[in-house]
Amino acid sequence: MEAAKEIIHHSPSNIKVHHQFEFSGRTGEFFRIWIVNMLLTILTCGIYSAWAKVRTKSYFYSSTLVAGSSFTYLAKPTSILKGRLIALLLMVLFSIATQFAPLLNIALIPALMIATPWMIIKATIFNARMTAWRNVRFNFDGHYGDALVYFLLMPILTLASLGLLYPWVVKKQKQYLVSHHSFGDTAFQPKFTAGNFYEVYLIGFGILALSSLVIPLIPIVGVLIAPLGYILAAAFIVAGKNNFIYGKSHLGDYRFNSTMKAAPLAWIYASNMLAILLTLGLAIPWAMIRLARYRASCMVLVADNALDGFTDKIAEEQSALGEEMADIFDVSAGI
Amino acid sequence: MKIEGILYPAGTSRAVPATLEVDLQGMATLVGSYADITTPVCHANELNISPRIGNSKRQLRFHDGGLFETTDNDAVDQIASAFKTHHFQRAIHYLESRARNVALSAVTVIVLVGLFMVYAVPMGARHIAMSLPPSMAVSVGEGSLKLLDQMVFEPSRLSHQRQNELRDKMASVSANAQNDHVFTLKFRHSQKVGANAFALPNGTLIVTDDLVELASNDQQIMAVLIHEMGHVVYRHALQQVLQNSSLSIMLILVTGDIISATNLAAAIPGLLLKTHYSRSMETEADNYARDYMLKNGLAPVHFTDIMHRLAQSHEENLGEDDEFSDILSSHPAIEDRIEQFLKKDP
């Protein structure tokens, strides 16, 4: 393990240490984990996929370091497997039911619309609580009612506004998610504005429009250049959103710097895609590792040196029922 | 045994450099002075030890919630193998840590996925294609004809009288075919396609003007049409589309990105047009045609004659555009096909 690079700035407060995020995972090592996961998942007809998921997540979490300490993924494979089996059972029951009563198909869409906010909430809670750093868990305390507003009503509003409200809606959603997350008992505070998101989406769509213009302007070669432009636009939006969401959120007195850039990210996306296609998927571990490495290299936690002021409050509140439901959600997202 | 690491006491984000000592009996203690920290002394088998995953950090949890984190994976492995029973997770690490095991795993995965694509996917596609309701086939057919008209076809230049003559003959052929498909015959002209015939899943048979002119008699045209009917009866087009799309879906699942998925959606109409039937599908349609001809007193020589003529005409135009070959899809094997066709002749 390498100690975190700490750059001391001379400011009056004691919050002056820049803790650089680091990713220590290596391609060769992860390839071994990944290929064994594939093999056992195939040989067990998918049952092993729950263990595969936990091993993959654990590897990435425990290879991500900040201030010398790694993250921990706490989920148990058996509870993920249980959730997957329950979700699978629901799907099978539903498809049998529609065989006998085809009208149930019509009920499916409203049922899914109503269930989506619930799944988002349960998923976010599960992922937050299964993540820890220095023996302190993350938490999410959102409720169904809020999620219904942010993830069902607001998207409908977006449609009604012909997409003009989309950046505002994304901002509201992210703001909701960030402000209901906490690390131990310290809440995150979002400081980004709707203007930030309009800026990101306007420039992103600008790049998209320009790259489409290339097609009629430059014959033949234009068709080859345009997809690169699309990837650049996607990378610009991802990087911009990432920088605002992390870079403008506070955790107590601490804050983060996020300096992701569109061009390197687009290069990683494009080369990953090409490598995966050319190797028929065998380059996936390499692609995942270099993306994780780039993401970590763009994140800095600005805090004091000790980082010992957080207290864990969730340990007592864990109820088995909530975890079970979260697990079921986990499956629905997977399928 | 001494293990260097960091202790995270329960309940806070404090990080304390610490040394864990495990004696020969398995008693685990933190050595050194850690002031206010009261992590209990316990036996190693009471520790919750995280499984080894590569060389990523290892965590040992005490029952009071305290967490000891270390990079010394080998030492932790020794303790785990001496005092804990994690056979399952250790077996997985054994698979992951030996180069030979990894190579074997990779080969096995590639072989299994390959077998799945070569055998399971076509079988599944055939099963699904045959069990789909006929209405599905009809809607697929209508879409394809529109697309073909936009892309390659022009209206036929044959006289209405000639078209109706051939339609009547086709009607009596399909009446004898003893299946519940409804076949309609359409004529199209296309310089690009040349002499050719197509079958759409809904029973629409398309014959190009060039093919009508190429045939030296109408029985030859009928022989081609019966072959095409075979493709419809066995739902070959549907099978092909299902196969291609299931392979594409697998590719998306494996590569897991949306951008290639959108490219794929755009490629599907092209696939419909350009995809050739597999050899086994052509054989199946050939057999269908031969059985019909033998049963209904149509000399098989008409089929082989028109095949020879088609092969010749496409060889003359070779290099122009051969991507729309349907009846001639396995071009170099055409002599084989004719030979096979004649073999079972009485």
Side-chain angles (χ1 to χ4, degrees), chain A residues 1 26 29 31-33 35-36 38-40 42-43 48 51 55 58-59 62-63 65 68-72 74 133-136 183 231 273 276-277 280-282 284 307-312, chain B residues 6 8-15 51-57 59 61 65-67 69 71 88-89 92-93 95-99 102 105-106 108-110 112-113 251 254-255 257 259-260:
Chain A
M1 174 200 70
R26 290 204 312 273
E29 198 169 75
F31 178 81
R32 293 160 170 238
I33 295 162
I35 197 78
V36 171
M38 291 275 286
L39 177 72
L40 295 179
I42 293 172
L43 291 181
Y48 186 76
W51 279 262
R55 277 186 90 76
S58 297
Y59 183 74
S62 56
S63 300
L65 309 175
S69 301
S70 70
F71 288 81
T72 315
L74 298 161
W133 182 77
R134 287 196 173 179
N135 209 5
V136 174
F183 176 59
I231 294 172
M273 221 180 293
I276 289 170
L277 281 176
L280 297 175
L282 286 177
I284 290 173
L307 280 161
D308 57 2
F310 296 104
T311 48
D312 194 22
Chain B
I6 304 172
Y8 304 110
T12 75
S13 62
R14 273 180 68 189
R52 179 165 185 169
I53 305 174
N55 270 319
S56 60
K57 288 201 177 189
Q59 292 171 326
R61 193 176 288 280
L67 192 70
E69 191 179 79
T71 48
F88 175 58
Q89 296 282 6
I92 290 164
H93 178 68
L95 273 180
E96 288 169 357
S97 58
R98 305 287 185 284
V102 171
S105 304
T108 315
V109 166
I110 292 166
L112 287 177
V113 171
L251 199 70
V254 169
T255 57
D257 64 85
I259 295 176
S260 65

Side-chain angles (χ1 to χ4, degrees), chain A:
Chain A
M1 174 200 70
E2 227 181 291
K5 292 162 209 135
E6 288 165 7
I7 308 148
I8 313 264
H9 290 254
H10 297 283
S11 72
S13 106
N14 63 340
I15 296 165
K16 60 199 169 183
V17 184
H18 285 211
H19 300 278
Q20 171 71 51
F21 280 70
E22 283 172 87
F23 183 73
S24 65
R26 290 204 312 273
T27 301
E29 198 169 75
F30 181 58
F31 178 81
R32 293 160 170 238
I33 295 162
W34 181 82
I35 197 78
V36 171
N37 279 345
M38 291 275 286
L39 177 72
L40 295 179
T41 300
I42 293 172
L43 291 181
T44 59
C45 296
I47 293 168
Y48 186 76
S49 68
W51 279 262
K53 178 185 168 163
V54 170
R55 277 186 90 76
T56 304
K57 283 210 146 200
S58 297
Y59 183 74
F60 278 86
Y61 278 45
S62 56
S63 300
T64 305
L65 309 175
V66 62
S69 301
S70 70
F71 288 81
T72 315
Y73 187 62
L74 298 161
K76 289 191 182 65
T78 44
S79 55
I80 285 179
L81 181 66
K82 226 185 293 171
R84 285 191 176 179
L85 290 177
I86 293 170
L88 198 69
L89 191 73
L90 285 176
M91 271 188 57
V92 170
L93 284 180
F94 187 82
S95 64
I96 292 171
T98 48
Q99 292 282 314
F100 291 103
L103 276 178
L104 272 176
N105 269 321
I106 301 165
L108 182 64
I109 293 165
L112 267 180
M113 278 171 73
I114 290 164
T116 303
W118 180 81
M119 290 195 280
I120 289 171
I121 288 288
K122 288 297 164 194
T124 316
I125 291 175
F126 183 78
N127 284 330
R129 291 194 185 171
M130 291 303 126
T131 307
W133 182 77
R134 287 196 173 179
N135 209 5
V136 174
R137 288 184 185 216
F138 288 79
N139 196 14
F140 179 75
D141 63 355
H143 295 287
Y144 179 78
D146 308 325
L148 191 72
V149 172
Y150 288 107
F151 296 101
L152 189 64
L153 297 185
M154 283 194 178
I156 293 172
L157 208 64
T158 312
L159 284 178
S161 71
L162 300 174
L164 289 178
L165 284 179
Y166 182 68
W168 178 77
V169 168
V170 172
K171 181 250 173 186
K172 294 298 275 186
Q173 291 175 343
K174 300 297 178 192
Q175 193 178 32
Y176 169 72
L177 288 174
V178 170
S179 63
H180 284 76
H181 263 97
S182 56
F183 176 59
D185 53 9
T186 311
F188 285 88
Q189 301 147 317
K191 305 276 184 192
F192 42 78
T193 64
N196 297 145
F197 283 82
Y198 273 99
E199 177 193 319
V200 166
Y201 280 104
L202 276 177
I203 298 176
F205 281 108
I207 299 173
L208 203 69
L210 278 178
S211 6
S212 302
L213 270 181
V214 169
I215 297 178
L217 284 180
I218 314 168
I220 303 163
V221 187
V223 183
L224 299 172
I225 295 173
L228 294 177
Y230 299 155
I231 294 172
L232 186 68
F236 184 87
I237 291 173
V238 169
K241 269 171 34 177
N242 195 82
N243 289 346
F244 286 129
I245 292 166
Y246 289 103
K248 289 186 180 259
S249 290
H250 291 203
L251 176 63
D253 295 330
Y254 303 155
R255 60 185 177 81
F256 300 90
N257 284 346
S258 176
T259 51
M260 199 174 265
K261 291 194 176 57
L265 188 63
W267 161 244
I268 290 173
Y269 281 165
S271 50
N272 274 358
M273 221 180 293
L274 196 69
I276 289 170
L277 281 176
L278 290 181
T279 60
L280 297 175
L282 286 177
I284 290 173
W286 174 75
M288 286 169 75
I289 292 282
R290 63 198 285 256
L291 186 60
R293 187 174 296 143
Y294 179 68
R295 290 181 67 92
S297 75
C298 298
M299 279 279 285
V300 168
L301 169 65
V302 184
D304 58 22
N305 201 17
L307 280 161
D308 57 2
F310 296 104
T311 48
D312 194 22
K313 72 158 189 178
I314 312 156
E316 312 86 31
E317 297 175 2
Q318 284 283 68
S319 93
L321 180 69
E323 212 168 272
E324 275 313 294
M325 297 206 299
D327 284 351
I328 296 169
F329 130 77
D330 182 69
V331 185
S332 339
I335 294 170

